[in-house]
Amino acid sequence: VNITEYEFEKNLNVFKTDFIRKNNYNPTSADIKKWIQNFIDRAYLLADAYKKGFDTLTEVNIKVESMEHLVLTQPGGLLDEKMAKEKITPDEIEKALQAASKSFVVEYLDFENYGQVVKLIGESEIKKQSEFYDTVSKNSRTTFATFKIDTLKWPFTLLGEKAEIISGLKSNDVIFLQSPDAHYYLIHIKKVQSKSELDLSKIKSDVISFLMRRKQVETRAQYQREIEGKAQILINEEVLFQLDNYTQKYKGLNQFDKKSFDGYLQSRLVSYNFDSKIKNISLDQFIDYYNYLPIRRGITQEADIYYYLQSMVYDVYAYQKAKEYGLTDDVKFILDKENYKKNV
C-alpha cells in the first residue's frame, strides 16, 4: 500500500485541526510524533485490509461513492464552485472592491411597516439633512419609528439588494428605502470613511470569497430550477405513506431499517426523466442512499423525505455535470477519494 506525501499531509492537518478544536491549543512535537506512529500502525492495518480484500466490499465502495458525490454536488461543493467561477465577472469583483473601500457612519429611522411611514411623513420626500432632522424630532414625540446610529460596512447586509445604492452616496445624503426584511429606513449619511490601499488589500480575498459564496447560492438555485423542469419528478404516494408512517414512529431518525418495509422495498418510490429516459428509484435504493450519506440530518416530517428525494435526483444530474466539467478526473479529487477509502 502506497501512502503519498499529499495523503500524509492531509491526514496530519486533519489531526491538528481536531486537536486544536478539542484542546484549544496547538499539538506539541510529542503529540505529533505520537500521531505519526499511530498513522504508521494504521498503515500496516490498511495493508492487511487490502490483502484480505476489504477494499472490494460493497459496503466500503458505497460509502466511498456517497462521499464522492457529496464532495461534488453538496451546497458549496466542487460543482457549485465551478459553476460560480464561470458566472462571476471581473466587473462584479471590481464593483464589490470599490464598495468595500468605503464604510458609512449613518443615523436612521427604522420603520417596522409602511403604515408607520405614512403616519410620520405621509407621502413627503425627505431629501435634505435639515428635513431628516425635522423628521427625527417629530418622531421623538410620536415614536412611529426607532432612531438608530450605526456604521455600515460592505456587503451592507442590512440593505440586501439595495447595497449598491448606498455605496454611491456622499456625506449628508438622505435616502429612503425598503430592506429585505420588509422594514423601511430613512437614512442620513453622517460620514463616509475610505479605506487605504493597504487596508483594502487585506480584505480583498475576503471580498472575493464572499462574492463566490453568494454566486454559488445563486447558480445552484438556478440549476435546481433547471433540473426540476427537466426531471418532472413523480412520487408514488402509497410508498411515501409507508415511509412517512415509519418516520412518525421514530421522530428524528437518521437510519432506516429495511426489515420494517418488507413487501415494499422493490416498489417504485420515485420516477423522473433523465437523458430522455424515465428512471425509477425504488424504496430500497432510497434507503441505501440515505443510510450511506456521510452527512445527513434526522427526518422529523414528510418535508424532510421530499428534500432527500429531490436531493437524490439532483445528485444524478449534478454528478453528470461534474463529470462533463472534468471534476472527477482532477488529480487532487482522485487523491482525496483514495485517501477517504483508506480511512474507511
Side-chain angles (χ1 to χ4, degrees):
V1 176
N2 294 319
I3 305 292
T4 65
E5 181 180 350
Y6 174 82
E7 287 177 281
F8 176 81
E9 292 293 337
K10 185 178 183 70
N11 284 280
L12 178 57
N13 288 332
V14 169
F15 161 72
K16 289 178 178 178
T17 301
D18 286 345
F19 188 96
I20 294 169
R21 180 175 54 81
K22 292 174 182 176
N23 301 285
N24 293 320
Y25 62 87
N26 290 319
T28 64
S29 57
D31 293 321
I32 293 174
K33 186 176 180 180
K34 183 178 178 182
W35 177 85
I36 292 174
Q37 184 57 55
N38 183 56
F39 186 76
I40 293 171
D41 292 342
R42 289 178 69 232
Y44 280 106
L45 290 172
L46 179 64
D48 193 43
Y50 270 92
K51 185 177 180 181
K52 293 178 179 179
F54 278 76
D55 58 308
T56 64
L57 290 175
T58 300
E59 183 179 1
V60 170
N61 288 309
I62 289 176
K63 285 184 177 181
V64 173
E65 184 181 337
S66 294
M67 177 58 81
E68 176 187 13
H69 282 239
L70 183 72
V71 169
L72 289 168
T73 67
Q74 70 179 322
L78 296 180
L79 179 61
D80 282 4
E81 288 180 11
K82 180 69 176 178
M83 291 193 297
K85 284 178 182 177
E86 283 194 338
K87 294 287 186 180
I88 202 162
T89 65
D91 185 54
E92 284 180 280
I93 294 173
E94 182 59 33
K95 284 183 178 179
L97 288 171
Q98 288 178 5
S101 69
K102 301 175 185 178
S103 59
F104 299 83
V105 179
V106 300
E107 49 190 358
Y108 62 97
L109 290 172
D110 178 356
F111 300 87
E112 288 188 359
N113 55 64
Y114 193 71
Q116 292 179 327
V117 176
V118 173
K119 288 177 181 177
L120 185 63
I121 62 177
E123 298 298 328
S124 303
E125 284 194 54
I126 311 299
K127 293 290 187 181
K128 299 179 181 177
Q129 180 187 36
S130 59
E131 294 172 337
F132 173 81
Y133 284 129
D134 286 344
T135 305
V136 171
S137 177
K138 181 180 178 182
N139 182 70
S140 66
R141 299 189 297 272
T142 58
T143 62
F144 287 120
T146 304
F147 179 74
K148 298 178 181 179
I149 299 175
D150 201 355
T151 299
L152 302 182
K153 298 179 181 179
W154 190 89
F156 313 118
T157 51
L158 176 74
L159 309 172
E161 295 177 357
K162 307 293 196 308
E164 289 186 5
I165 299 174
I166 284 290
S167 63
L169 296 177
K170 306 181 296 297
S171 294
N172 293 323
D173 280 350
V174 177
I175 187 170
F176 175 76
L177 48 79
Q178 182 181 2
S179 73
D181 61 1
H183 278 226
Y184 293 82
Y185 298 116
L186 182 62
I187 303 172
H188 170 236
I189 310 295
K190 289 192 70 175
K191 184 179 180 182
V192 179
Q193 299 172 323
S194 297
K195 289 184 174 64
S196 66
E197 286 191 19
L198 178 61
D199 288 337
L200 194 57
S201 67
K202 290 178 181 178
I203 66 167
K204 183 176 180 178
S205 62
D206 292 334
V207 170
I208 294 174
S209 293
F210 176 87
L211 280 180
M212 287 300 297
R213 289 194 299 272
R214 187 166 67 183
K215 187 63 72 174
Q216 284 176 24
V217 172
E218 291 172 2
T219 53
R220 184 182 182 85
Q222 182 180 353
Y223 187 47
Q224 282 180 319
R225 288 192 295 271
E226 181 185 325
I227 290 173
E228 286 170 9
K230 290 179 179 178
Q232 296 295 305
I233 298 172
L234 292 175
I235 296 176
N236 184 332
E237 295 296 334
E238 180 186 352
V239 181
L240 177 65
F241 178 77
Q242 296 298 323
L243 200 57
D244 187 42
N245 270 355
Y246 181 81
T247 60
Q248 294 307 311
K249 292 178 184 176
Y250 307 99
K251 285 284 188 180
L253 71 87
N254 59 10
Q255 188 85 11
F256 286 106
D257 181 4
K258 288 187 179 182
K259 293 177 183 177
S260 301
F261 298 98
D262 284 343
Y264 284 95
L265 287 176
Q266 301 310 315
S267 299
R268 176 186 60 81
L269 176 58
V270 173
S271 63
Y272 63 96
N273 296 325
F274 180 71
D275 275 351
S276 302
K277 296 178 182 176
I278 295 177
K279 301 284 186 178
N280 294 319
I281 297 173
S282 68
L283 178 57
D284 185 63
Q285 289 172 315
F286 172 73
I287 290 175
D288 278 343
Y289 168 80
Y290 179 78
N291 285 352
Y292 280 107
L293 280 174
I295 301 172
R296 59 184 179 271
R297 67 188 189 209
I299 293 179
T300 59
Q301 55 187 334
E302 191 177 87
D304 295 326
I305 300 173
Y306 276 105
Y307 168 80
Y308 281 109
L309 288 174
Q310 289 171 333
S311 296
M312 198 172 179
V313 175
Y314 176 86
D315 182 76
V316 173
Y317 277 86
Y319 185 77
Q320 183 191 57
K321 194 175 187 71
K323 288 185 73 174
E324 290 170 357
Y325 276 130
L327 298 178
T328 55
D329 297 323
D330 179 77
V331 174
K332 183 175 176 293
F333 174 77
I334 292 171
L335 287 171
D336 284 340
K337 180 180 174 181
E338 184 62 24
N339 179 62
Y340 178 76
K341 183 172 185 176
K342 288 173 180 175
N343 278 297
V344 171

